[in-house]
Amino acid sequence: MPKLRIGLAQVNATVGDLAGNREKVVEWTMRAAEQGAGLVVFPEMMLTGYPVEDLALRASFVDASVQALHALAVELAGEGLDGVAVVLGYLDRRTDLAPRVGLPAGAPLDAAAVLHAGGVAATSAKHHLPNYGVFDEYRYFVPGDTVPVFRLPAAGAVSEPVDVAIAICEDLWQDGGPVAVCRQAGAGLLVVPNASPYERGKDDTRLELCRRRAGEAGATLAYVNMVGGQDELVFDGDSIIVAADGTLLARGPQFDEALVIADLTLPAADLARQPGSTPADAADGSQMRIERIELAAIPAPVPAGELTAPAAWPRLTDLAEVYGALVTGTRDYVHKNGFGSVVLGLSGGIDSALTATIAADAIGADRVHVVLMPSRYSSDHSVADAEDLVKRQGLHGRTVPIAPMVAGFDAELELDGLAAENLQSRIRGMILMSLSNAEGHLVLTTGNKSELAAGYSTMYGDSAGGYAPIKDVPKTLVWALARWRNEQAGQHGRQPPIPENSITKPPSAELAPGQLDTDSLPDYAVLDPLLDDYVEKDMGSAALVAAGYDAELVNRVIRMVDRAEYKRRQYPPGPKISAKNFGRDRRLPITNRWREPR
Amino acid sequence: MPKLRIGLAQVNATVGDLAGNREKVVEWTMRAAEQGAGLVVFPEMMLTGYPVEDLALRASFVDASVQALHALAVELAGEGLDGVAVVLGYLDRRTDLAPRVGLPAGAPLDAAAVLHAGGVAATSAKHHLPNYGVFDEYRYFVPGDTVPVFRLPAAGAVSEPVDVAIAICEDLWQDGGPVAVCRQAGAGLLVVPNASPYERGKDDTRLELCRRRAGEAGATLAYVNMVGGQDELVFDGDSIIVAADGTLLARGPQFDEALVIADLTLPAADLARQPGSTPADAADGSQMRIERIELAAIPAPVPAGELTAPAAWPRLTDLAEVYGALVTGTRDYVHKNGFGSVVLGLSGGIDSALTATIAADAIGADRVHVVLMPSRYSSDHSVADAEDLVKRQGLHGRTVPIAPMVAGFDAELELDGLAAENLQSRIRGMILMSLSNAEGHLVLTTGNKSELAAGYSTMYGDSAGGYAPIKDVPKTLVWALARWRNEQAGQHGRQPPIPENSITKPPSAELAPGQLDTDSLPDYAVLDPLLDDYVEKDMGSAALVAAGYDAELVNRVIRMVDRAEYKRRQYPPGPKISAKNFGRDRRLPITNRWREPR
């Protein structure tokens, strides 16, 4: 049976950076070819980054994507890579459809192409368009209705001809479509470019999905995912190759760029099947077409002996995975938006301590500036704990007491109660924004998901900033991550980065004397599961009470969550790690008189 | 030929307020019956308000909508209204479909029902689901595939039986579907519940659309639109009745609740067509079914003589229409969110002057609190103009100089340049938020669309607030609206509300000595058309230069707009008046390295 050395390039594309993304394709194809790969697969929308949102509707951007694709094919050949088949995602359009309301005349496509021999050998487009959760693809794209099946000639890495089909991301998650067509086409290999955002536990789901779809396709399945952060989304890589019988053949690392190289043994192409277009039943109520082509037989790389890279990278534990997502999202937001440093307020509490640690892990401690902003309500241990953290991690620390600013406001306004509490928080937000303006740092927001859900934050105060690394992390998980991070340091013989006292002390906003979070909120161990069931699982009050929650608590917490929608709307973005984050994932009206029945 | 007195109830529903919306249906049906209407039509999603966004996915909310519908039918009968046929929109579900990824097992429907004789006589659902601009309906709904045709019996207002079909909102905007089926069914009247948001000039488009679709349906067409504000959206009413030949028979007011009553002469129902379900070609590539039913012949209201209401309300001019949208959006955001008053900063400039005037027109001058917050850079005329406006309109004014707060920051931070400018703006934002916390006012943000596009605003400074009435109004339109509002006052013999000097002086943020907007921005007369072409029409740089704009200017302005995306993401909502607002309408990534070619 034919042998094929394949390379999965799970790389970090940047939205809109066509030149940079193209350069990555050349660079990684070269690396794969040096290792003897005859076929290299890149993620979905590799050329443009993902998601491009309304850029998909802009003619100039679609033009640029298509032009970049063709230029890339020529460039690859110029680098002597014309014998390598390169599959990658890009943005294209089709003009043969009746116009659809809301789309330009050339309807955008979430497309994939095969580059070979200096040209674009075949193209296709995603058939199943996700339009739920964070995805809005009906807004942008028309569905693809062809599956290209390209025959890799016997050359270099390929000992006998092999037929390869393409599906794109969501095509795996929904029934029928390219997977069903792949089986009808008799392809031996199905390659799947993806831009699949991280969610806690999604890696297990994905592996099972790949196994199932490989069986349905009757083919070896090579799943390539993007890595890196894009606003709220974090792509976690975790590329997978499974045989048609479900055997895991290779698996890439999580969150890191990597070239996953594998030697596949595949069924020989049925040479009786000739190039051309044939109809196929997509098994989802629609018709598709198989577009069969044969790549030119030009010299291809020859596998240079045995593989040295691991077939499967070690898997991360649950907490390591979440932490990896937060670090990746933060690092890429900072770098891709052109910042060289960040600034955040350090209270001595666990939220800001964890955020600072994530930031230091993401971009290096020497790029992290922290500000202690004590007030007369700040406890001694707060300042001590914050100073301890600065020392442990070697951050740039400074102290700006807020008393003079509070006095300035007291001179003109007589504030007490909530207004006086919020004032302190807002003065701190202003200090951070002022330092951002003066010194160019990105302000990191330190709020967690439990606070954001319950509205336990001050607009323009602790919620001020450009990026919120732990926005999607419930408080109980904040503690767990802090403990995990300290343990990791301990296991590697390093000093734990987070002072133990920041983890163990009762949480307090310290905006009033002796204040504790539990004055306003239920205990987080009680609150977090309830928030999860209400926010992420969308359970109504009756369902929550039936699930065993106290009816009064349900009523109180739901009211808090519902009333805080306006605050969330103005909150900065942060990395999504849950099944439903506050952002594109959960869309509720601000003006909303619906009250769950008591 | 049969005569029918119809009532179109263009009312203001509130999202989530099932009880309040239901009460409105009873109240307005009663009013229509008193005037002898045998058929009353309410807007789309009348029971739930529109758009309900992710509430559509919550089982408890769908349950509540369906229960409210059935209870409403009983209640109407209890009020002696069982002889009136009431058509209204609500949220329903269907359970007979294969599950769709992202939707609950009972897939939500944007539904309409006919209530009659104490029960739900027929239901249907929107066939065409808009998924562009501000609409995300593929996210929420499955398409309807039936058209109910209900036979109004000869009773009361109806002299001979008449067949009536239903289409919903987008069903008018796209080809085929219920309009085509209406013709096949031979219905004499097509009633269309809508929740169609205002856009400048859309009323003309709508009238033409109704005329065209009435012709295609071969029926008189009764279009009922919602009125009122819902977060970013403003529904403008403007209900329309046109005959099959395009003759305008009646037209409701813009932005105001109203009962549009009209006497229609309709073709008699073809009695050979019997109740039952028959397939129909939707002429859009799909199949639908005609569900024909006959309403019970029970006593119905009798038209009480001639109509006294106008057949067509006077039309608003372009500027009156825009101003009406801003006032409506602001009023409803304040009231529906439970605020009794607003607070805003008054600089003496035109943006805050117009915003204060809109607020006073929306909720009354005695509920509008304004704060003058002069700094050492504030000109004498600024303070004088602001004080003049307070006096003209009888607002609650107070002065809070910002010098003490600036001094408080100066004591700890050495800020100059942009940081010092932003500091002043943020101190003002904090003062307003403090007053909001202390006194319960909603903070209104005074920024205009040109500033927001160009990023000429300070996060947490002039952009702070809960609602931004002129967020979608370009600066040149701000001036035009101010002049128009003053002229209106003059024509009614009242004092113009806005000081002339606020309109005529060159715009300045007054954050530095002698500062003018034109130091940082092109002249607004040049900037605004370019912003419109880039932002609303999505023209790329080459297209803009080809359209005659200076290439350097295009490059500079595009850069400004692209770089300010992060600011817009945290901006408060405000009423949409343009074809594309900054909000749900325009969705661009923050992390975005795409640069239009120079």
Side-chain angles (χ1 to χ4, degrees):
Chain A
M1 285 168 78
K3 304 259 183 210
L4 166 66
R5 182 163 287 186
I6 189 174
L8 311 188
Q10 65 171 50
V11 300
N12 190 341
T14 299
V15 164
D17 188 8
L18 299 176
N21 296 337
R22 193 177 131 183
E23 206 171 296
K24 284 215 166 191
V25 175
V26 175
E27 175 195 331
W28 287 74
T29 301
M30 206 170 285
R31 288 177 52 184
E34 280 162 10
Q35 296 187 51
L39 170 63
V40 189
V41 187
F42 287 87
E44 181 182 12
M45 294 287 254
M46 173 67 215
L47 257 191
T48 55
Y50 181 90
V52 298
E53 306 187 38
D54 279 10
L55 287 176
L57 306 175
R58 193 179 299 171
S60 59
F61 187 67
V62 185
D63 289 344
S65 170
V66 174
Q67 283 160 15
L69 182 81
H70 287 270
L72 173 60
V74 173
E75 187 181 351
L76 286 168
E79 298 285 350
L81 298 164
D82 49 340
V84 185
V86 174
V87 174
L88 81 165
Y90 72 108
L91 175 65
D92 203 340
R93 61 162 69 91
R94 60 188 288 184
T95 51
D96 61 334
L97 299 175
R100 195 178 93 193
V101 182
L103 288 186
L109 294 169
D110 183 328
V114 185
L115 306 185
H116 189 256
V120 178
T123 66
S124 67
K126 181 152 66 173
H127 179 71
H128 291 296
L129 300 174
N131 205 66
Y132 51 83
V134 299
F135 304 109
D136 287 301
E137 295 204 354
Y138 275 110
R139 178 181 173 91
Y140 299 121
F141 303 117
V142 289
D145 54 11
T146 63
V147 173
V149 177
F150 58 96
R151 185 159 296 167
L152 281 173
V158 188
S159 59
E160 292 172 64
V162 169
D163 280 347
V164 185
I166 303 177
I168 303 176
C169 202
E170 186 76 4
D171 291 338
L172 278 196
W173 292 83
Q174 300 196 22
D175 292 332
V179 171
V181 173
C182 176
R183 172 175 282 275
Q184 292 166 50
L189 174 64
L190 177 62
V191 296
V192 191
N194 293 267
S196 175
Y198 172 72
E199 272 176 33
R200 226 175 149 182
K202 198 177 183 184
D203 50 339
D204 299 331
T205 313
R206 262 191 215 130
L207 176 59
E208 282 318 301
L209 181 73
C210 287
R211 287 187 156 131
R212 181 153 58 89
R213 297 306 188 196
E216 290 171 19
T220 294
L221 190 154
Y223 170 105
V224 191
N225 195 17
M226 200 172 266
V227 295
Q230 169 60 28
D231 291 351
E232 291 182 351
L233 304 183
V234 181
F235 301 99
D236 55 337
D238 187 30
S239 298
I240 291 170
I241 306 179
V242 284
D245 68 359
T247 309
L248 179 66
L249 301 177
R251 194 160 189 186
Q254 292 161 283
F255 304 107
D256 288 330
E257 289 193 315
L259 186 64
V260 180
I261 298 265
D263 285 325
L264 306 179
T265 303
L266 299 168
D270 173 1
L271 301 182
R273 302 192 196 229
Q274 289 293 313
S277 176
T278 45
D281 178 3
D284 63 357
S286 72
Q287 279 288 311
M288 299 190 72
R289 294 192 74 81
I290 299 165
E291 302 285 355
R292 201 177 283 280
I293 59 156
E294 207 166 324
L295 300 186
I298 42 176
V302 178
E306 289 302 300
L307 290 174
T308 54
W313 272 256
R315 309 296 304 156
L316 300 178
T317 62
D318 175 47
L319 291 174
E321 192 181 281
V322 171
Y323 195 82
L326 302 178
V327 167
T328 302
T330 303
R331 179 191 296 130
D332 276 1
Y333 193 89
V334 172
H335 289 162
K336 291 181 177 178
N337 284 290
F339 288 96
S341 54
V342 299
V343 65
L344 68 150
L346 214 59
S347 70
I350 187 59
D351 294 332
S352 57
L354 182 66
T355 304
T357 309
I358 291 165
D361 286 341
I363 60 170
D366 58 327
R367 292 167 182 271
V368 178
H369 298 252
V370 295
V371 190
L372 283 67
M373 297 173 281
S375 77
R376 56 190 173 126
Y377 303 124
S378 298
S379 56
D380 292 343
H381 63 75
S382 294
V383 177
D385 294 340
E387 285 172 346
D388 185 7
L389 185 139
V390 171
K391 254 181 253 151
R392 282 167 188 250
Q393 301 197 27
L395 310 176
H396 297 280
R398 76 185 97 178
T399 301
V400 182
I402 67 169
M405 293 78 154
V406 175
F409 281 87
D410 282 346
E412 293 291 338
L413 301 169
E414 286 172 24
L415 301 173
D416 52 21
L418 184 67
E421 292 186 28
N422 281 334
L423 176 69
Q424 300 166 59
S425 181
R426 291 197 181 105
I427 285 172
R428 293 184 174 119
M430 281 186 65
I431 291 170
L432 297 175
M433 292 303 292
S434 294
L435 293 174
S436 169
N437 286 152
E439 303 173 4
H441 320 297
L442 172 72
V443 176
L444 294 183
T445 310
T446 58
N448 63 62
K449 189 175 195 175
S450 311
E451 284 176 4
L452 189 58
Y456 194 64
S457 67
T458 302
M459 287 180 88
Y460 322 134
D462 54 336
S463 69
Y467 199 71
I470 60 171
K471 175 184 182 180
D472 199 29
V473 184
K475 186 79 174 190
T476 46
L477 184 55
V478 169
W479 280 309
L481 288 169
R483 289 202 185 89
W484 173 86
R485 183 63 185 80
N486 273 0
E487 282 162 22
Q488 287 295 303
Q491 284 170 17
H492 292 83
R494 298 200 203 97
Q495 188 186 32
I498 300 172
E500 189 61 21
N501 198 38
S502 293
I503 302 178
T504 53
K505 67 184 167 189
S508 165
E510 295 199 335
L511 296 171
Q515 188 177 44
L516 290 177
D517 286 14
T518 45
D519 301 342
S520 308
L521 298 175
D523 192 86
Y524 287 110
V526 174
L527 179 63
D528 281 354
L530 176 52
L531 287 173
D532 184 76
D533 283 340
Y534 181 56
V535 173
E536 295 184 35
K537 302 200 179 63
D538 228 354
M539 289 166 68
S541 56
L544 290 166
V545 172
Y549 291 103
D550 174 73
E552 272 315 301
L553 180 73
V554 164
N555 185 58
R556 180 176 157 220
V557 169
I558 284 183
R559 285 284 293 153
M560 289 195 296
V561 174
D562 288 353
R563 293 172 63 145
E565 191 54 37
Y566 72 101
K567 290 189 183 181
R568 289 189 285 269
R569 207 64 79 84
Q570 294 189 38
Y571 210 83
K576 167 182 160 79
I577 60 155
S578 73
K580 193 185 280 182
N581 75 342
F582 289 121
R584 290 283 163 89
D585 233 358
R586 186 177 191 263
R587 307 180 191 177
L588 285 171
I590 298 175
T591 304
N592 174 11
R593 290 214 186 139
W594 170 244
R595 300 291 170 259
E596 283 288 327
R598 294 192 65 153
Chain B
M1 282 166 82
K3 305 259 184 210
L4 166 66
R5 182 163 286 185
I6 189 174
L8 311 188
Q10 64 172 52
V11 300
N12 189 340
T14 298
V15 164
D17 189 8
L18 298 176
N21 296 336
R22 196 177 128 183
E23 206 171 295
K24 284 216 166 189
V25 174
V26 176
E27 176 195 331
W28 287 74
T29 301
M30 207 170 285
R31 289 176 53 184
E34 281 163 10
Q35 295 188 52
L39 171 63
V40 189
V41 188
F42 288 86
E44 181 183 12
M45 294 286 255
M46 173 67 215
L47 258 191
T48 54
Y50 182 90
V52 299
E53 307 188 38
D54 279 10
L55 286 176
L57 306 176
R58 194 180 299 172
S60 59
F61 188 67
V62 184
D63 289 342
S65 170
V66 174
Q67 283 160 15
L69 182 82
H70 287 269
L72 173 60
V74 173
E75 187 180 352
L76 286 168
E79 297 286 350
L81 297 164
D82 48 339
V84 185
V86 174
V87 175
L88 80 166
Y90 73 108
L91 175 66
D92 204 340
R93 62 161 70 90
R94 60 188 289 185
T95 50
D96 61 332
L97 299 174
R100 195 178 92 193
V101 181
L103 288 185
L109 294 169
D110 183 330
V114 186
L115 306 185
H116 190 256
V120 178
T123 66
S124 66
K126 180 151 66 173
H127 178 71
H128 291 296
L129 300 173
N131 204 66
Y132 51 83
V134 298
F135 305 109
D136 287 301
E137 295 204 354
Y138 275 111
R139 178 181 175 90
Y140 299 120
F141 304 118
V142 289
D145 54 11
T146 64
V147 174
V149 177
F150 59 97
R151 185 159 296 165
L152 281 173
V158 188
S159 58
E160 290 173 68
V162 169
D163 281 346
V164 185
I166 303 177
I168 302 175
C169 201
E170 186 77 4
D171 291 338
L172 278 195
W173 293 84
Q174 300 196 21
D175 292 333
V179 171
V181 172
C182 176
R183 172 174 281 275
Q184 292 167 51
L189 174 64
L190 177 63
V191 297
V192 191
N194 294 267
S196 175
Y198 172 72
E199 271 175 34
R200 226 174 150 184
K202 197 177 183 183
D203 51 338
D204 298 331
T205 313
R206 264 190 216 131
L207 177 59
E208 282 318 301
L209 181 73
C210 287
R211 286 186 155 130
R212 181 151 59 88
R213 297 304 189 196
E216 290 171 19
T220 295
L221 190 154
Y223 170 104
V224 192
N225 194 17
M226 201 172 267
V227 295
Q230 168 60 30
D231 291 351
E232 291 181 351
L233 304 183
V234 181
F235 302 99
D236 55 338
D238 188 29
S239 298
I240 291 169
I241 306 180
V242 285
D245 68 0
T247 310
L248 180 65
L249 301 177
R251 194 159 190 188
Q254 293 161 281
F255 304 106
D256 288 329
E257 287 193 317
L259 187 63
V260 181
I261 298 266
D263 286 325
L264 307 179
T265 303
L266 300 168
D270 174 1
L271 301 182
R273 302 194 197 228
Q274 290 293 310
S277 177
T278 46
D281 179 2
D284 63 356
S286 71
Q287 279 288 310
M288 298 190 73
R289 294 193 74 81
I290 299 166
E291 302 285 356
R292 200 177 284 279
I293 59 155
E294 208 166 323
L295 300 186
I298 44 175
V302 178
E306 290 302 301
L307 290 174
T308 53
W313 271 256
R315 309 294 306 155
L316 300 177
T317 61
D318 175 47
L319 291 175
E321 193 180 280
V322 171
Y323 195 81
L326 302 179
V327 167
T328 302
T330 304
R331 179 191 296 131
D332 276 2
Y333 193 89
V334 172
H335 290 161
K336 290 181 177 179
N337 284 291
F339 288 96
S341 54
V342 299
V343 65
L344 67 151
L346 215 59
S347 69
I350 188 59
D351 294 332
S352 58
L354 181 66
T355 303
T357 308
I358 290 166
D361 285 340
I363 60 170
D366 59 329
R367 293 168 181 270
V368 178
H369 298 253
V370 294
V371 190
L372 283 66
M373 296 173 282
S375 75
R376 58 190 172 126
Y377 304 123
S378 298
S379 55
D380 292 343
H381 64 76
S382 293
V383 177
D385 293 341
E387 285 172 346
D388 185 6
L389 184 139
V390 171
K391 254 181 253 150
R392 282 167 187 249
Q393 301 197 27
L395 310 176
H396 297 279
R398 75 186 97 180
T399 300
V400 181
I402 66 169
M405 293 79 154
V406 175
F409 281 87
D410 281 346
E412 293 290 337
L413 302 168
E414 286 173 24
L415 301 174
D416 52 21
L418 183 67
E421 292 186 28
N422 281 335
L423 176 68
Q424 300 166 60
S425 181
R426 291 197 181 106
I427 285 172
R428 293 185 173 118
M430 280 185 66
I431 291 170
L432 297 174
M433 292 303 291
S434 293
L435 293 173
S436 169
N437 286 153
E439 303 173 4
H441 320 297
L442 172 71
V443 176
L444 294 183
T445 310
T446 57
N448 64 60
K449 189 175 195 175
S450 311
E451 284 176 3
L452 190 58
Y456 195 63
S457 68
T458 302
M459 287 179 90
Y460 321 134
D462 54 336
S463 69
Y467 200 70
I470 59 170
K471 174 183 182 179
D472 200 29
V473 184
K475 186 80 174 189
T476 47
L477 184 56
V478 168
W479 280 310
L481 288 169
R483 289 203 184 86
W484 172 87
R485 182 63 186 79
N486 274 0
E487 282 163 22
Q488 287 294 303
Q491 284 169 17
H492 292 84
R494 299 202 202 94
Q495 187 187 30
I498 299 172
E500 190 62 20
N501 198 38
S502 292
I503 303 178
T504 52
K505 67 184 167 189
S508 165
E510 295 199 334
L511 296 172
Q515 188 178 44
L516 290 178
D517 286 13
T518 44
D519 299 342
S520 309
L521 299 176
D523 193 85
Y524 287 110
V526 174
L527 179 64
D528 280 355
L530 175 52
L531 287 174
D532 184 75
D533 283 339
Y534 181 56
V535 172
E536 296 185 34
K537 302 199 179 64
D538 229 354
M539 289 166 67
S541 55
L544 291 165
V545 172
Y549 292 103
D550 175 73
E552 272 313 302
L553 180 73
V554 165
N555 184 57
R556 181 177 157 217
V557 169
I558 283 184
R559 284 284 292 155
M560 287 196 296
V561 174
D562 288 353
R563 292 172 64 142
E565 190 54 36
Y566 72 101
K567 291 189 182 182
R568 290 189 285 269
R569 205 63 80 84
Q570 294 189 39
Y571 210 81
K576 166 182 160 78
I577 61 154
S578 74
K580 193 185 280 183
N581 76 342
F582 288 122
R584 292 282 162 90
D585 233 358
R586 185 176 192 264
R587 307 180 190 176
L588 285 172
I590 297 175
T591 304
N592 174 9
R593 291 215 183 135
W594 170 242
R595 301 290 170 257
E596 284 287 327
R598 295 194 64 154

